């Protein structure tokens, strides 16, 4: 008989519901009629919040999902079909977007192996040897993820160094900020410090993983890139007709730093989980826990037994590495119950 799955998922922060304040904002936006395609009061209000958060030069474009946010962001930054994007080999655009960059944008991804999911300035310059060679693609954009796909965070200095290297070589810097809130919460800094002030050109700002119902935002930090944004948003199928409902959600997250409170809680639950399993027999934490993700290596039989009761993903089956994710609504009780089950499973295999 298959055991019943635990009600709380540790597979993804996408599995969590929406924050009550976000749902309340959507309900408030449902009062009466409003112009479509972004000509509404909620989208105008959000634009002001984005400028306050990211700087007066920031332009916001609400979109429907994370892949769409990345494709719109990158489409504004690429000028010619022979250009390429430098990114870590673990990047979401390289591994979990079904080749959207190649299919939708028609450009090549130049992927870089990394130890911890983070690019360095040297990784970028090492990929520029073919510049000027008509037989090779020409890298023109660097894309980094904050948080990385391995749960690690770039510091503000690391982002600034990457931005400086990109700009010194005539390139632009894109940040896939699906979990930007978690990185800012971990580092104790503002969203602006990790983006505008560090030299990022365009940000895909995540909302769905941090308490939104649906939708994300593209934040353009270089005015000369923004002009094409509305046209490309329509062309990449990311223009919501009833945009007020998406804008209201992002606005709710930016109000009184709800984004930070949600992210801080998710991060704290991941830390609680990591601390709870530290030192258990046969289990190793594989990367630093700097966000709401815990990566651990454990025996295959333990993984199978735990997956009979809990939802979580196997990250690398060959190494027995799993990923456990927490969210804004993960409770301490959820974590402690999971930790107790992990402990019992591992101890039963060594007794």
């Amino acid at each position: 008989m298959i055991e019943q799955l635990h009600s709380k998922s540790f597979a993804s922060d996408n599995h969590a519901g929406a924050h009550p304040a976000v749902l309340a904002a959507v309900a408030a936006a449902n009062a009466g009629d409003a112009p479509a395609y972004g000509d509404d009061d909620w989208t105008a209000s959000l634009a002001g919040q984005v400028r306050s958060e990211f700087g007066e030069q920031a332009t916001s474009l609400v979109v429907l999902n994370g892949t769409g946010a990345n494709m719109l962001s990158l489409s504004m930054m690429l000028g010619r079909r022979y250009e390429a994007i430098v990114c870590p080999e673990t990047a979401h655009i390289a591994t979990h977007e079904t080749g959207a960059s190649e299919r939708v944008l028609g450009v090549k991804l130049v992927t870089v192996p990394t130890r911890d999911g983070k690019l360095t300035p040297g990784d970028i310059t090492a990929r520029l040897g073919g510049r000027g060679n008509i037989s090779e693609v020409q890298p023109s954009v660097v894309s980094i993820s904050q948080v990385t796909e391995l749960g690690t965070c770039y510091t503000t200095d690391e982002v600034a160094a990457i931005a400086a290297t990109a700009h010194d070589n005539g390139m632009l810097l894109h940040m896939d900020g699906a979990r930007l809130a978690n990185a800012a919460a971990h580092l104790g800094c503002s969203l602006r410090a990790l983006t505008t002030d560090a030299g990022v050109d365009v940000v895909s700002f995540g909302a769905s993983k941090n308490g939104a119902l649906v939708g994300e935002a593209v934040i353009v930090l270089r005015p000369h890139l923004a002009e094409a944004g509305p046209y490309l948003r329509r062309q990449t199928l990311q223009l919501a007709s009833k945009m007020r409902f998406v804008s209201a959600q992002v606005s709710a997250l930016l109000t009184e730093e709800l984004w930070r409170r949600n992210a801080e809680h998710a991060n704290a639950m991941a830390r609680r989980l990591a601390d709870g399993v530290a030192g258990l027999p046969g289990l190793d934490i594989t990367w630093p826990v700097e966000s709401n993700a815990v990566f651990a290596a454990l025996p295959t039989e333990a993984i199978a037994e735990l997956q009979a009761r809990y939802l979580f993903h196997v990250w690398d089956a060959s190494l027995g590495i799993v990923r456990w994710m927490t969210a804004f609504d993960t409770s301490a009780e959820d974590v402690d119950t999971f930790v107790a089950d992990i402990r019992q499973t591992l101890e039963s295999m060594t007794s």
Side-chain angles (χ1 to χ4, degrees):
M1 179 181 295
I2 299 177
E3 298 182 62
Q4 185 174 0
L5 286 171
H6 191 269
S7 60
K8 186 57 187 171
S9 170
F10 290 92
S12 174
D13 37 12
N14 277 327
H15 288 199
H19 191 279
V22 170
L23 292 176
V26 173
N30 196 40
D33 293 348
Y37 301 113
D39 293 326
D40 59 84
D41 292 342
W42 292 267
T43 301
S45 177
L46 173 62
Q49 288 179 284
V50 167
R51 289 193 296 271
S52 296
E53 190 73 50
F54 291 89
E56 282 302 313
Q57 77 278 36
T59 300
S60 55
L61 295 161
V62 259
V63 296
L64 299 172
N65 54 59
T67 298
N70 286 337
M71 292 307 102
L72 174 58
S73 297
L74 293 167
S75 68
M76 285 187 280
M77 307 170 81
L78 294 160
R80 293 155 295 197
R81 296 292 288 272
Y82 55 80
E83 293 179 335
I85 302 165
V86 178
C87 64
E89 66 179 5
T90 52
H92 203 268
I93 60 173
T95 61
H96 284 83
E97 296 187 354
T98 324
S101 297
E102 294 90 341
R103 177 71 172 86
V104 176
L105 305 177
V107 298
K108 181 178 178 61
L109 298 180
V110 179
T111 59
V112 181
T114 66
R115 179 181 57 83
D116 55 3
K118 293 158 66 172
L119 282 184
T120 67
D123 292 330
I124 298 166
T125 55
R127 268 67 187 175
L128 303 181
R131 291 191 121 183
N133 183 340
I134 64 169
S135 297
E136 298 189 32
V137 293
Q138 303 295 292
S140 65
V141 174
V142 176
S143 182
I144 61 174
S145 299
Q146 181 76 300
V147 173
T148 75
E149 283 72 18
L150 301 184
T152 54
C153 296
Y154 291 91
T155 65
T156 53
D157 287 345
E158 287 172 330
V159 176
I162 290 171
T165 301
H167 296 157
D168 287 348
N169 286 280
M171 306 171 75
L172 296 169
L173 177 59
H174 166 250
M175 178 180 283
D176 179 349
R179 296 185 177 94
L180 176 60
N182 299 90
H186 168 71
L187 295 166
C189 67
S190 65
L191 298 174
R192 175 172 178 154
L194 275 172
T195 55
T196 312
D197 295 345
V200 176
D201 297 298
V202 182
V203 184
S204 304
F205 178 53
S208 295
K209 292 178 171 63
N210 195 32
L213 184 68
V214 62
E216 320 284 326
V218 170
I219 313 297
V220 187
L221 301 173
R222 297 293 173 262
H224 74 278
L225 298 174
E227 182 180 354
Y231 302 95
L232 291 168
R233 177 171 58 181
R234 172 66 111 167
Q235 194 176 68
T236 52
L237 315 181
Q238 288 297 309
L239 181 63
S241 58
K242 296 185 180 180
M243 195 182 297
R244 57 175 157 155
F245 296 111
V246 185
S247 297
Q249 295 174 68
V250 182
S251 178
L253 291 174
L254 291 177
T255 299
E256 297 179 350
E257 291 199 328
L258 176 60
W259 64 266
R260 186 185 296 276
R261 299 197 303 276
N262 286 352
E264 284 177 340
H265 178 79
N267 289 359
M269 291 302 98
R271 184 72 263 167
R272 186 185 186 97
L273 174 53
D275 290 345
V277 300
L280 290 180
L283 186 149
D284 293 302
I285 303 296
T286 55
W287 291 290
V289 180
E290 297 177 347
S291 59
N292 61 326
V294 178
F295 289 84
L298 61 162
T300 301
E301 56 271 29
I303 295 173
E305 184 171 331
L306 288 166
Q307 281 192 315
R309 299 191 296 277
Y310 294 89
L311 279 175
F312 61 85
H313 292 307
V314 176
W315 186 259
D316 187 330
S318 66
L319 298 176
I321 297 175
V322 300
R323 186 191 73 171
W324 297 322
M325 297 291 302
T326 54
F328 78 91
D329 63 348
T330 304
S331 70
E333 182 182 3
D334 292 330
V335 171
D336 294 345
T337 299
F338 190 33
V339 167
D341 269 5
I342 295 169
R343 178 182 291 111
Q344 181 180 12
T345 298
L346 290 172
E347 289 178 347
S348 69
M349 293 181 176
T350 57
S351 61

